[in-house]
Amino acid sequence: MSEIFASYGTALQKNPLFHGIPQAELPYVLEKLNAHVRQYKKEETIRHFGDAVNFIGIVLEGDIHILQDDYYGNRSITASVSAGALFAEAFACAGITELPVTIVAATDCRILTVSSHALLQATDEAWAYHTVLIRNLLGIVARKNMYLNRKLKYTLHKTTAEKLLAYLNDQAKEKGTNAFYIPFNRQQLADYLGVERSAMSAEISKLASLGLLETRRSYFKLLKPE
């Protein structure tokens, strides 16, 4: 645990899962949680559909995508997870035993995993920080639920343009600026919004020609019409 803490102690202390835990106690807490760190290359699969849900992950560096495949093999991105965020916690809390999604590295990344059993079913009454961790985890799950509701809002829009603009407006509000990078390339953005890439690209070009946005790859700048 000392190696993990030496490299990522500051980042972990700021992680919402560990709020309220003194920095000096983090190595002890990580050991109790059976924490491990592993590095993944871009597009490498971190967890496969059907794998055991015996972990909760924290992205230390890079970005990952949570992917869902339908019966016909069509793949969509249900979430993008960046450095500092947790993943698979909702599945663990729900008692799901087999992973219903595939988790893939969107960039080169480094992942910390902890034992979901050690976190959720601790029996050591002397472990004073268990209650703190559970309270923090509940808050994280609640915020993730709000995030999923926001994605549902995009899908409820009727047109591709409405879905795209709703997403971009939320990104601008979240980042506090009208110029920002999104965590998707064009195909990934289309998958996330549940639209055809060609139709989305046509709408992006149309909005740009109307002077409503500037864009280059994953960079977008929202503009007010003159």
PDB file of all heavy atoms in Angstrom, residues 160-161 164-165 167-168 182 184-187 189-190 193 195-221:
ATOM      1  N   THR A 160     -31.735  14.848 -33.855  1.00  0.00           N
ATOM      2  CA  THR A 160     -30.300  14.743 -33.591  1.00  0.00           C
ATOM      3  C   THR A 160     -29.732  16.079 -33.137  1.00  0.00           C
ATOM      4  O   THR A 160     -28.918  16.144 -32.212  1.00  0.00           O
ATOM      5  CB  THR A 160     -29.567  14.257 -34.853  1.00  0.00           C
ATOM      6  OG1 THR A 160     -30.027  12.944 -35.191  1.00  0.00           O
ATOM      7  CG2 THR A 160     -28.061  14.217 -34.630  1.00  0.00           C
ATOM      8  N   ALA A 161     -30.160  17.165 -33.772  1.00  0.00           N
ATOM      9  CA  ALA A 161     -29.670  18.498 -33.413  1.00  0.00           C
ATOM     10  C   ALA A 161     -30.038  18.844 -31.979  1.00  0.00           C
ATOM     11  O   ALA A 161     -29.220  19.403 -31.230  1.00  0.00           O
ATOM     12  CB  ALA A 161     -30.238  19.544 -34.367  1.00  0.00           C
ATOM     13  N   LEU A 164     -27.831  16.834 -29.603  1.00  0.00           N
ATOM     14  CA  LEU A 164     -26.462  17.349 -29.631  1.00  0.00           C
ATOM     15  C   LEU A 164     -26.350  18.655 -28.852  1.00  0.00           C
ATOM     16  O   LEU A 164     -25.442  18.817 -28.009  1.00  0.00           O
ATOM     17  CB  LEU A 164     -26.031  17.557 -31.077  1.00  0.00           C
ATOM     18  CG  LEU A 164     -24.647  18.170 -31.307  1.00  0.00           C
ATOM     19  CD1 LEU A 164     -23.566  17.235 -30.797  1.00  0.00           C
ATOM     20  CD2 LEU A 164     -24.441  18.473 -32.781  1.00  0.00           C
ATOM     21  N   LEU A 165     -27.254  19.589 -29.096  1.00  0.00           N
ATOM     22  CA  LEU A 165     -27.187  20.886 -28.430  1.00  0.00           C
ATOM     23  C   LEU A 165     -27.455  20.760 -26.930  1.00  0.00           C
ATOM     24  O   LEU A 165     -26.851  21.483 -26.128  1.00  0.00           O
ATOM     25  CB  LEU A 165     -28.179  21.858 -29.065  1.00  0.00           C
ATOM     26  CG  LEU A 165     -27.767  22.400 -30.437  1.00  0.00           C
ATOM     27  CD1 LEU A 165     -28.894  23.230 -31.046  1.00  0.00           C
ATOM     28  CD2 LEU A 165     -26.491  23.239 -30.322  1.00  0.00           C
ATOM     29  N   TYR A 167     -26.636  18.226 -25.075  1.00  0.00           N
ATOM     30  CA  TYR A 167     -25.388  17.703 -24.502  1.00  0.00           C
ATOM     31  C   TYR A 167     -24.317  18.784 -24.426  1.00  0.00           C
ATOM     32  O   TYR A 167     -23.661  18.961 -23.389  1.00  0.00           O
ATOM     33  CB  TYR A 167     -24.887  16.523 -25.340  1.00  0.00           C
ATOM     34  CG  TYR A 167     -23.509  16.055 -24.930  1.00  0.00           C
ATOM     35  CD1 TYR A 167     -23.335  15.318 -23.764  1.00  0.00           C
ATOM     36  CD2 TYR A 167     -22.391  16.374 -25.694  1.00  0.00           C
ATOM     37  CE1 TYR A 167     -22.062  14.900 -23.374  1.00  0.00           C
ATOM     38  CE2 TYR A 167     -21.124  15.961 -25.309  1.00  0.00           C
ATOM     39  CZ  TYR A 167     -20.967  15.219 -24.151  1.00  0.00           C
ATOM     40  OH  TYR A 167     -19.704  14.824 -23.765  1.00  0.00           O
ATOM     41  N   LEU A 168     -24.121  19.523 -25.507  1.00  0.00           N
ATOM     42  CA  LEU A 168     -23.081  20.550 -25.540  1.00  0.00           C
ATOM     43  C   LEU A 168     -23.373  21.670 -24.549  1.00  0.00           C
ATOM     44  O   LEU A 168     -22.453  22.202 -23.908  1.00  0.00           O
ATOM     45  CB  LEU A 168     -22.945  21.111 -26.955  1.00  0.00           C
ATOM     46  CG  LEU A 168     -22.415  20.134 -28.012  1.00  0.00           C
ATOM     47  CD1 LEU A 168     -22.398  20.793 -29.379  1.00  0.00           C
ATOM     48  CD2 LEU A 168     -21.019  19.613 -27.646  1.00  0.00           C
ATOM     49  N   ILE A 182     -14.703  17.612 -25.143  1.00  0.00           N
ATOM     50  CA  ILE A 182     -15.569  16.550 -24.644  1.00  0.00           C
ATOM     51  C   ILE A 182     -14.762  15.244 -24.596  1.00  0.00           C
ATOM     52  O   ILE A 182     -13.753  15.106 -25.291  1.00  0.00           O
ATOM     53  CB  ILE A 182     -16.821  16.379 -25.530  1.00  0.00           C
ATOM     54  CG1 ILE A 182     -16.434  15.899 -26.950  1.00  0.00           C
ATOM     55  CG2 ILE A 182     -17.605  17.685 -25.602  1.00  0.00           C
ATOM     56  CD1 ILE A 182     -17.636  15.533 -27.810  1.00  0.00           C
ATOM     57  N   PHE A 184     -15.194  12.397 -25.871  1.00  0.00           N
ATOM     58  CA  PHE A 184     -15.542  11.473 -26.943  1.00  0.00           C
ATOM     59  C   PHE A 184     -14.968  11.943 -28.277  1.00  0.00           C
ATOM     60  O   PHE A 184     -14.821  13.146 -28.510  1.00  0.00           O
ATOM     61  CB  PHE A 184     -17.067  11.387 -27.120  1.00  0.00           C
ATOM     62  CG  PHE A 184     -17.834  10.975 -25.907  1.00  0.00           C
ATOM     63  CD1 PHE A 184     -18.883  11.754 -25.448  1.00  0.00           C
ATOM     64  CD2 PHE A 184     -17.522   9.817 -25.223  1.00  0.00           C
ATOM     65  CE1 PHE A 184     -19.620  11.388 -24.340  1.00  0.00           C
ATOM     66  CE2 PHE A 184     -18.246   9.438 -24.105  1.00  0.00           C
ATOM     67  CZ  PHE A 184     -19.293  10.218 -23.657  1.00  0.00           C
ATOM     68  N   ASN A 185     -14.657  10.985 -29.165  1.00  0.00           N
ATOM     69  CA  ASN A 185     -14.486  11.332 -30.567  1.00  0.00           C
ATOM     70  C   ASN A 185     -15.874  11.328 -31.211  1.00  0.00           C
ATOM     71  O   ASN A 185     -16.880  11.084 -30.529  1.00  0.00           O
ATOM     72  CB  ASN A 185     -13.509  10.386 -31.276  1.00  0.00           C
ATOM     73  CG  ASN A 185     -13.983   8.935 -31.275  1.00  0.00           C
ATOM     74  OD1 ASN A 185     -15.184   8.641 -31.318  1.00  0.00           O
ATOM     75  ND2 ASN A 185     -13.038   8.001 -31.213  1.00  0.00           N
ATOM     76  N   ARG A 186     -15.942  11.586 -32.514  1.00  0.00           N
ATOM     77  CA  ARG A 186     -17.260  11.738 -33.152  1.00  0.00           C
ATOM     78  C   ARG A 186     -18.089  10.449 -33.106  1.00  0.00           C
ATOM     79  O   ARG A 186     -19.296  10.481 -32.866  1.00  0.00           O
ATOM     80  CB  ARG A 186     -17.086  12.233 -34.591  1.00  0.00           C
ATOM     81  CG  ARG A 186     -16.515  13.650 -34.681  1.00  0.00           C
ATOM     82  CD  ARG A 186     -17.434  14.681 -34.042  1.00  0.00           C
ATOM     83  NE  ARG A 186     -16.802  15.976 -33.872  1.00  0.00           N
ATOM     84  CZ  ARG A 186     -16.753  16.915 -34.803  1.00  0.00           C
ATOM     85  NH1 ARG A 186     -17.286  16.695 -35.994  1.00  0.00           N
ATOM     86  NH2 ARG A 186     -16.183  18.075 -34.552  1.00  0.00           N
ATOM     87  N   GLN A 187     -17.454   9.320 -33.367  1.00  0.00           N
ATOM     88  CA  GLN A 187     -18.208   8.065 -33.322  1.00  0.00           C
ATOM     89  C   GLN A 187     -18.697   7.779 -31.908  1.00  0.00           C
ATOM     90  O   GLN A 187     -19.837   7.344 -31.690  1.00  0.00           O
ATOM     91  CB  GLN A 187     -17.347   6.904 -33.820  1.00  0.00           C
ATOM     92  CG  GLN A 187     -18.088   5.564 -33.872  1.00  0.00           C
ATOM     93  CD  GLN A 187     -19.303   5.600 -34.788  1.00  0.00           C
ATOM     94  OE1 GLN A 187     -19.167   5.859 -35.974  1.00  0.00           O
ATOM     95  NE2 GLN A 187     -20.489   5.342 -34.249  1.00  0.00           N
ATOM     96  N   LEU A 189     -19.294   9.970 -29.568  1.00  0.00           N
ATOM     97  CA  LEU A 189     -20.365  10.912 -29.232  1.00  0.00           C
ATOM     98  C   LEU A 189     -21.687  10.455 -29.832  1.00  0.00           C
ATOM     99  O   LEU A 189     -22.732  10.513 -29.173  1.00  0.00           O
ATOM    100  CB  LEU A 189     -20.003  12.312 -29.734  1.00  0.00           C
ATOM    101  CG  LEU A 189     -21.062  13.403 -29.502  1.00  0.00           C
ATOM    102  CD1 LEU A 189     -21.375  13.554 -28.022  1.00  0.00           C
ATOM    103  CD2 LEU A 189     -20.586  14.733 -30.097  1.00  0.00           C
ATOM    104  N   ALA A 190     -21.644   9.989 -31.070  1.00  0.00           N
ATOM    105  CA  ALA A 190     -22.864   9.479 -31.706  1.00  0.00           C
ATOM    106  C   ALA A 190     -23.414   8.279 -30.941  1.00  0.00           C
ATOM    107  O   ALA A 190     -24.632   8.177 -30.707  1.00  0.00           O
ATOM    108  CB  ALA A 190     -22.572   9.103 -33.159  1.00  0.00           C
ATOM    109  N   LEU A 193     -25.051   9.480 -27.671  1.00  0.00           N
ATOM    110  CA  LEU A 193     -26.340  10.147 -27.860  1.00  0.00           C
ATOM    111  C   LEU A 193     -27.376   9.237 -28.516  1.00  0.00           C
ATOM    112  O   LEU A 193     -28.557   9.592 -28.593  1.00  0.00           O
ATOM    113  CB  LEU A 193     -26.160  11.408 -28.709  1.00  0.00           C
ATOM    114  CG  LEU A 193     -25.306  12.525 -28.086  1.00  0.00           C
ATOM    115  CD1 LEU A 193     -25.121  13.664 -29.083  1.00  0.00           C
ATOM    116  CD2 LEU A 193     -25.922  13.040 -26.800  1.00  0.00           C
ATOM    117  N   VAL A 195     -27.409   8.204 -31.790  1.00  0.00           N
ATOM    118  CA  VAL A 195     -27.760   8.691 -33.121  1.00  0.00           C
ATOM    119  C   VAL A 195     -26.763   8.154 -34.138  1.00  0.00           C
ATOM    120  O   VAL A 195     -25.706   7.633 -33.781  1.00  0.00           O
ATOM    121  CB  VAL A 195     -27.770  10.239 -33.168  1.00  0.00           C
ATOM    122  CG1 VAL A 195     -28.797  10.793 -32.189  1.00  0.00           C
ATOM    123  CG2 VAL A 195     -26.387  10.808 -32.858  1.00  0.00           C
ATOM    124  N   GLU A 196     -27.113   8.279 -35.426  1.00  0.00           N
ATOM    125  CA  GLU A 196     -26.191   7.886 -36.484  1.00  0.00           C
ATOM    126  C   GLU A 196     -25.081   8.930 -36.620  1.00  0.00           C
ATOM    127  O   GLU A 196     -25.339  10.137 -36.569  1.00  0.00           O
ATOM    128  CB  GLU A 196     -26.938   7.765 -37.815  1.00  0.00           C
ATOM    129  CG  GLU A 196     -27.907   6.602 -37.886  1.00  0.00           C
ATOM    130  CD  GLU A 196     -27.178   5.260 -37.905  1.00  0.00           C
ATOM    131  OE1 GLU A 196     -26.019   5.232 -38.357  1.00  0.00           O
ATOM    132  OE2 GLU A 196     -27.775   4.269 -37.455  1.00  0.00           O
ATOM    133  N   ARG A 197     -23.862   8.444 -36.819  1.00  0.00           N
ATOM    134  CA  ARG A 197     -22.740   9.379 -36.919  1.00  0.00           C
ATOM    135  C   ARG A 197     -22.899  10.326 -38.108  1.00  0.00           C
ATOM    136  O   ARG A 197     -22.614  11.519 -37.996  1.00  0.00           O
ATOM    137  CB  ARG A 197     -21.427   8.610 -37.036  1.00  0.00           C
ATOM    138  CG  ARG A 197     -20.222   9.536 -37.225  1.00  0.00           C
ATOM    139  CD  ARG A 197     -18.917   8.784 -37.283  1.00  0.00           C
ATOM    140  NE  ARG A 197     -17.809   9.691 -37.551  1.00  0.00           N
ATOM    141  CZ  ARG A 197     -16.531   9.320 -37.554  1.00  0.00           C
ATOM    142  NH1 ARG A 197     -16.221   8.067 -37.308  1.00  0.00           N
ATOM    143  NH2 ARG A 197     -15.581  10.196 -37.812  1.00  0.00           N
ATOM    144  N   SER A 198     -23.331   9.806 -39.237  1.00  0.00           N
ATOM    145  CA  SER A 198     -23.463  10.649 -40.433  1.00  0.00           C
ATOM    146  C   SER A 198     -24.477  11.761 -40.207  1.00  0.00           C
ATOM    147  O   SER A 198     -24.263  12.914 -40.600  1.00  0.00           O
ATOM    148  CB  SER A 198     -23.864   9.801 -41.639  1.00  0.00           C
ATOM    149  OG  SER A 198     -25.080   9.118 -41.393  1.00  0.00           O
ATOM    150  N   ALA A 199     -25.587  11.422 -39.558  1.00  0.00           N
ATOM    151  CA  ALA A 199     -26.610  12.436 -39.279  1.00  0.00           C
ATOM    152  C   ALA A 199     -26.091  13.463 -38.292  1.00  0.00           C
ATOM    153  O   ALA A 199     -26.346  14.677 -38.446  1.00  0.00           O
ATOM    154  CB  ALA A 199     -27.870  11.762 -38.733  1.00  0.00           C
ATOM    155  N   MET A 200     -25.359  13.016 -37.296  1.00  0.00           N
ATOM    156  CA  MET A 200     -24.801  13.939 -36.322  1.00  0.00           C
ATOM    157  C   MET A 200     -23.763  14.858 -36.963  1.00  0.00           C
ATOM    158  O   MET A 200     -23.748  16.069 -36.703  1.00  0.00           O
ATOM    159  CB  MET A 200     -24.170  13.167 -35.160  1.00  0.00           C
ATOM    160  CG  MET A 200     -23.662  14.056 -34.030  1.00  0.00           C
ATOM    161  SD  MET A 200     -22.644  13.152 -32.856  1.00  0.00           S
ATOM    162  CE  MET A 200     -21.164  12.876 -33.860  1.00  0.00           C
ATOM    163  N   SER A 201     -22.896  14.292 -37.802  1.00  0.00           N
ATOM    164  CA  SER A 201     -21.878  15.101 -38.476  1.00  0.00           C
ATOM    165  C   SER A 201     -22.530  16.160 -39.359  1.00  0.00           C
ATOM    166  O   SER A 201     -22.044  17.302 -39.444  1.00  0.00           O
ATOM    167  CB  SER A 201     -20.970  14.199 -39.314  1.00  0.00           C
ATOM    168  OG  SER A 201     -20.229  13.320 -38.487  1.00  0.00           O
ATOM    169  N   ALA A 202     -23.632  15.803 -40.019  1.00  0.00           N
ATOM    170  CA  ALA A 202     -24.343  16.762 -40.860  1.00  0.00           C
ATOM    171  C   ALA A 202     -24.906  17.908 -40.019  1.00  0.00           C
ATOM    172  O   ALA A 202     -24.849  19.078 -40.423  1.00  0.00           O
ATOM    173  CB  ALA A 202     -25.468  16.061 -41.612  1.00  0.00           C
ATOM    174  N   GLU A 203     -25.421  17.576 -38.847  1.00  0.00           N
ATOM    175  CA  GLU A 203     -25.969  18.610 -37.969  1.00  0.00           C
ATOM    176  C   GLU A 203     -24.867  19.504 -37.414  1.00  0.00           C
ATOM    177  O   GLU A 203     -25.053  20.719 -37.268  1.00  0.00           O
ATOM    178  CB  GLU A 203     -26.758  17.971 -36.816  1.00  0.00           C
ATOM    179  CG  GLU A 203     -28.042  17.292 -37.234  1.00  0.00           C
ATOM    180  CD  GLU A 203     -29.047  18.252 -37.839  1.00  0.00           C
ATOM    181  OE1 GLU A 203     -28.963  19.476 -37.578  1.00  0.00           O
ATOM    182  OE2 GLU A 203     -29.928  17.795 -38.586  1.00  0.00           O
ATOM    183  N   ILE A 204     -23.723  18.919 -37.098  1.00  0.00           N
ATOM    184  CA  ILE A 204     -22.592  19.718 -36.611  1.00  0.00           C
ATOM    185  C   ILE A 204     -22.153  20.705 -37.690  1.00  0.00           C
ATOM    186  O   ILE A 204     -21.910  21.887 -37.420  1.00  0.00           O
ATOM    187  CB  ILE A 204     -21.428  18.802 -36.189  1.00  0.00           C
ATOM    188  CG1 ILE A 204     -21.787  18.056 -34.907  1.00  0.00           C
ATOM    189  CG2 ILE A 204     -20.146  19.613 -35.982  1.00  0.00           C
ATOM    190  CD1 ILE A 204     -20.756  17.027 -34.468  1.00  0.00           C
ATOM    191  N   SER A 205     -22.050  20.230 -38.931  1.00  0.00           N
ATOM    192  CA  SER A 205     -21.667  21.106 -40.044  1.00  0.00           C
ATOM    193  C   SER A 205     -22.692  22.215 -40.246  1.00  0.00           C
ATOM    194  O   SER A 205     -22.331  23.381 -40.496  1.00  0.00           O
ATOM    195  CB  SER A 205     -21.515  20.288 -41.326  1.00  0.00           C
ATOM    196  OG  SER A 205     -20.470  19.340 -41.202  1.00  0.00           O
ATOM    197  N   LYS A 206     -23.962  21.881 -40.121  1.00  0.00           N
ATOM    198  CA  LYS A 206     -25.023  22.863 -40.296  1.00  0.00           C
ATOM    199  C   LYS A 206     -24.958  23.933 -39.208  1.00  0.00           C
ATOM    200  O   LYS A 206     -25.067  25.132 -39.493  1.00  0.00           O
ATOM    201  CB  LYS A 206     -26.384  22.167 -40.265  1.00  0.00           C
ATOM    202  CG  LYS A 206     -27.560  23.109 -40.473  1.00  0.00           C
ATOM    203  CD  LYS A 206     -28.868  22.336 -40.477  1.00  0.00           C
ATOM    204  CE  LYS A 206     -30.061  23.263 -40.655  1.00  0.00           C
ATOM    205  NZ  LYS A 206     -31.344  22.493 -40.640  1.00  0.00           N
ATOM    206  N   LEU A 207     -24.761  23.509 -37.954  1.00  0.00           N
ATOM    207  CA  LEU A 207     -24.681  24.451 -36.842  1.00  0.00           C
ATOM    208  C   LEU A 207     -23.459  25.361 -36.980  1.00  0.00           C
ATOM    209  O   LEU A 207     -23.511  26.550 -36.661  1.00  0.00           O
ATOM    210  CB  LEU A 207     -24.642  23.699 -35.518  1.00  0.00           C
ATOM    211  CG  LEU A 207     -25.933  22.962 -35.130  1.00  0.00           C
ATOM    212  CD1 LEU A 207     -25.682  22.032 -33.945  1.00  0.00           C
ATOM    213  CD2 LEU A 207     -27.035  23.954 -34.795  1.00  0.00           C
ATOM    214  N   ALA A 208     -22.362  24.775 -37.480  1.00  0.00           N
ATOM    215  CA  ALA A 208     -21.147  25.576 -37.689  1.00  0.00           C
ATOM    216  C   ALA A 208     -21.374  26.614 -38.789  1.00  0.00           C
ATOM    217  O   ALA A 208     -20.943  27.761 -38.676  1.00  0.00           O
ATOM    218  CB  ALA A 208     -19.974  24.663 -38.033  1.00  0.00           C
ATOM    219  N   SER A 209     -22.056  26.207 -39.857  1.00  0.00           N
ATOM    220  CA  SER A 209     -22.311  27.135 -40.968  1.00  0.00           C
ATOM    221  C   SER A 209     -23.255  28.260 -40.555  1.00  0.00           C
ATOM    222  O   SER A 209     -23.212  29.358 -41.109  1.00  0.00           O
ATOM    223  CB  SER A 209     -22.894  26.377 -42.164  1.00  0.00           C
ATOM    224  OG  SER A 209     -24.198  25.892 -41.868  1.00  0.00           O
ATOM    225  N   LEU A 210     -24.096  28.008 -39.560  1.00  0.00           N
ATOM    226  CA  LEU A 210     -25.013  29.024 -39.048  1.00  0.00           C
ATOM    227  C   LEU A 210     -24.349  29.927 -38.012  1.00  0.00           C
ATOM    228  O   LEU A 210     -24.980  30.855 -37.492  1.00  0.00           O
ATOM    229  CB  LEU A 210     -26.245  28.361 -38.427  1.00  0.00           C
ATOM    230  CG  LEU A 210     -27.186  27.639 -39.396  1.00  0.00           C
ATOM    231  CD1 LEU A 210     -28.256  26.873 -38.629  1.00  0.00           C
ATOM    232  CD2 LEU A 210     -27.823  28.635 -40.363  1.00  0.00           C
ATOM    233  N   GLY A 211     -23.095  29.636 -37.709  1.00  0.00           N
ATOM    234  CA  GLY A 211     -22.361  30.453 -36.742  1.00  0.00           C
ATOM    235  C   GLY A 211     -22.722  30.180 -35.300  1.00  0.00           C
ATOM    236  O   GLY A 211     -22.504  31.015 -34.425  1.00  0.00           O
ATOM    237  N   LEU A 212     -23.252  28.960 -35.029  1.00  0.00           N
ATOM    238  CA  LEU A 212     -23.664  28.624 -33.673  1.00  0.00           C
ATOM    239  C   LEU A 212     -22.587  27.873 -32.897  1.00  0.00           C
ATOM    240  O   LEU A 212     -22.676  27.772 -31.670  1.00  0.00           O
ATOM    241  CB  LEU A 212     -24.952  27.782 -33.707  1.00  0.00           C
ATOM    242  CG  LEU A 212     -26.176  28.496 -34.280  1.00  0.00           C
ATOM    243  CD1 LEU A 212     -27.358  27.553 -34.328  1.00  0.00           C
ATOM    244  CD2 LEU A 212     -26.504  29.727 -33.443  1.00  0.00           C
ATOM    245  N   LEU A 213     -21.598  27.351 -33.610  1.00  0.00           N
ATOM    246  CA  LEU A 213     -20.501  26.691 -32.909  1.00  0.00           C
ATOM    247  C   LEU A 213     -19.266  26.612 -33.797  1.00  0.00           C
ATOM    248  O   LEU A 213     -19.350  26.693 -35.022  1.00  0.00           O
ATOM    249  CB  LEU A 213     -20.908  25.290 -32.413  1.00  0.00           C
ATOM    250  CG  LEU A 213     -21.286  24.189 -33.417  1.00  0.00           C
ATOM    251  CD1 LEU A 213     -20.048  23.518 -34.017  1.00  0.00           C
ATOM    252  CD2 LEU A 213     -22.114  23.115 -32.719  1.00  0.00           C
ATOM    253  N   GLU A 214     -18.136  26.450 -33.133  1.00  0.00           N
ATOM    254  CA  GLU A 214     -16.874  26.119 -33.786  1.00  0.00           C
ATOM    255  C   GLU A 214     -16.435  24.766 -33.226  1.00  0.00           C
ATOM    256  O   GLU A 214     -16.649  24.476 -32.049  1.00  0.00           O
ATOM    257  CB  GLU A 214     -15.804  27.170 -33.482  1.00  0.00           C
ATOM    258  CG  GLU A 214     -16.088  28.536 -34.069  1.00  0.00           C
ATOM    259  CD  GLU A 214     -15.039  29.560 -33.673  1.00  0.00           C
ATOM    260  OE1 GLU A 214     -14.056  29.171 -32.990  1.00  0.00           O
ATOM    261  OE2 GLU A 214     -15.195  30.739 -34.032  1.00  0.00           O
ATOM    262  N   THR A 215     -15.836  23.954 -34.060  1.00  0.00           N
ATOM    263  CA  THR A 215     -15.450  22.635 -33.589  1.00  0.00           C
ATOM    264  C   THR A 215     -14.246  22.111 -34.353  1.00  0.00           C
ATOM    265  O   THR A 215     -14.047  22.438 -35.534  1.00  0.00           O
ATOM    266  CB  THR A 215     -16.622  21.639 -33.713  1.00  0.00           C
ATOM    267  OG1 THR A 215     -16.216  20.356 -33.214  1.00  0.00           O
ATOM    268  CG2 THR A 215     -17.080  21.508 -35.161  1.00  0.00           C
ATOM    269  N   ARG A 216     -13.465  21.320 -33.656  1.00  0.00           N
ATOM    270  CA  ARG A 216     -12.333  20.623 -34.246  1.00  0.00           C
ATOM    271  C   ARG A 216     -12.098  19.362 -33.419  1.00  0.00           C
ATOM    272  O   ARG A 216     -11.704  19.430 -32.266  1.00  0.00           O
ATOM    273  CB  ARG A 216     -11.081  21.512 -34.242  1.00  0.00           C
ATOM    274  CG  ARG A 216      -9.859  20.900 -34.913  1.00  0.00           C
ATOM    275  CD  ARG A 216      -8.661  21.842 -34.869  1.00  0.00           C
ATOM    276  NE  ARG A 216      -8.211  22.090 -33.500  1.00  0.00           N
ATOM    277  CZ  ARG A 216      -8.468  23.189 -32.814  1.00  0.00           C
ATOM    278  NH1 ARG A 216      -9.207  24.165 -33.354  1.00  0.00           N
ATOM    279  NH2 ARG A 216      -8.033  23.355 -31.582  1.00  0.00           N
ATOM    280  N   ARG A 217     -12.436  18.225 -34.024  1.00  0.00           N
ATOM    281  CA  ARG A 217     -12.343  16.949 -33.321  1.00  0.00           C
ATOM    282  C   ARG A 217     -13.171  16.983 -32.028  1.00  0.00           C
ATOM    283  O   ARG A 217     -14.376  17.141 -32.075  1.00  0.00           O
ATOM    284  CB  ARG A 217     -10.877  16.585 -33.074  1.00  0.00           C
ATOM    285  CG  ARG A 217     -10.092  16.371 -34.370  1.00  0.00           C
ATOM    286  CD  ARG A 217      -8.660  15.930 -34.096  1.00  0.00           C
ATOM    287  NE  ARG A 217      -7.943  15.706 -35.346  1.00  0.00           N
ATOM    288  CZ  ARG A 217      -6.668  15.361 -35.414  1.00  0.00           C
ATOM    289  NH1 ARG A 217      -5.946  15.190 -34.290  1.00  0.00           N
ATOM    290  NH2 ARG A 217      -6.098  15.183 -36.594  1.00  0.00           N
ATOM    291  N   SER A 218     -12.520  16.889 -30.871  1.00  0.00           N
ATOM    292  CA  SER A 218     -13.257  16.854 -29.609  1.00  0.00           C
ATOM    293  C   SER A 218     -13.420  18.233 -28.981  1.00  0.00           C
ATOM    294  O   SER A 218     -13.925  18.342 -27.864  1.00  0.00           O
ATOM    295  CB  SER A 218     -12.555  15.915 -28.614  1.00  0.00           C
ATOM    296  OG  SER A 218     -12.572  14.582 -29.093  1.00  0.00           O
ATOM    297  N   TYR A 219     -12.993  19.255 -29.690  1.00  0.00           N
ATOM    298  CA  TYR A 219     -13.100  20.630 -29.180  1.00  0.00           C
ATOM    299  C   TYR A 219     -14.372  21.280 -29.731  1.00  0.00           C
ATOM    300  O   TYR A 219     -14.668  21.171 -30.924  1.00  0.00           O
ATOM    301  CB  TYR A 219     -11.879  21.445 -29.614  1.00  0.00           C
ATOM    302  CG  TYR A 219     -12.011  22.938 -29.383  1.00  0.00           C
ATOM    303  CD1 TYR A 219     -11.742  23.483 -28.130  1.00  0.00           C
ATOM    304  CD2 TYR A 219     -12.408  23.785 -30.418  1.00  0.00           C
ATOM    305  CE1 TYR A 219     -11.869  24.846 -27.918  1.00  0.00           C
ATOM    306  CE2 TYR A 219     -12.533  25.153 -30.211  1.00  0.00           C
ATOM    307  CZ  TYR A 219     -12.264  25.680 -28.951  1.00  0.00           C
ATOM    308  OH  TYR A 219     -12.383  27.023 -28.753  1.00  0.00           O
ATOM    309  N   PHE A 220     -15.107  21.936 -28.849  1.00  0.00           N
ATOM    310  CA  PHE A 220     -16.314  22.660 -29.256  1.00  0.00           C
ATOM    311  C   PHE A 220     -16.317  24.041 -28.605  1.00  0.00           C
ATOM    312  O   PHE A 220     -15.875  24.206 -27.457  1.00  0.00           O
ATOM    313  CB  PHE A 220     -17.580  21.917 -28.825  1.00  0.00           C
ATOM    314  CG  PHE A 220     -17.874  20.696 -29.646  1.00  0.00           C
ATOM    315  CD1 PHE A 220     -17.279  19.486 -29.335  1.00  0.00           C
ATOM    316  CD2 PHE A 220     -18.734  20.748 -30.736  1.00  0.00           C
ATOM    317  CE1 PHE A 220     -17.540  18.352 -30.081  1.00  0.00           C
ATOM    318  CE2 PHE A 220     -18.995  19.631 -31.494  1.00  0.00           C
ATOM    319  CZ  PHE A 220     -18.397  18.425 -31.176  1.00  0.00           C
ATOM    320  N   LYS A 221     -16.838  25.013 -29.334  1.00  0.00           N
ATOM    321  CA  LYS A 221     -17.039  26.354 -28.805  1.00  0.00           C
ATOM    322  C   LYS A 221     -18.432  26.798 -29.214  1.00  0.00           C
ATOM    323  O   LYS A 221     -18.738  26.897 -30.397  1.00  0.00           O
ATOM    324  CB  LYS A 221     -15.988  27.325 -29.343  1.00  0.00           C
ATOM    325  CG  LYS A 221     -16.126  28.736 -28.765  1.00  0.00           C
ATOM    326  CD  LYS A 221     -15.006  29.650 -29.275  1.00  0.00           C
ATOM    327  CE  LYS A 221     -15.113  31.042 -28.659  1.00  0.00           C
ATOM    328  NZ  LYS A 221     -14.016  31.937 -29.139  1.00  0.00           N
TER     329      LYS A 221
END
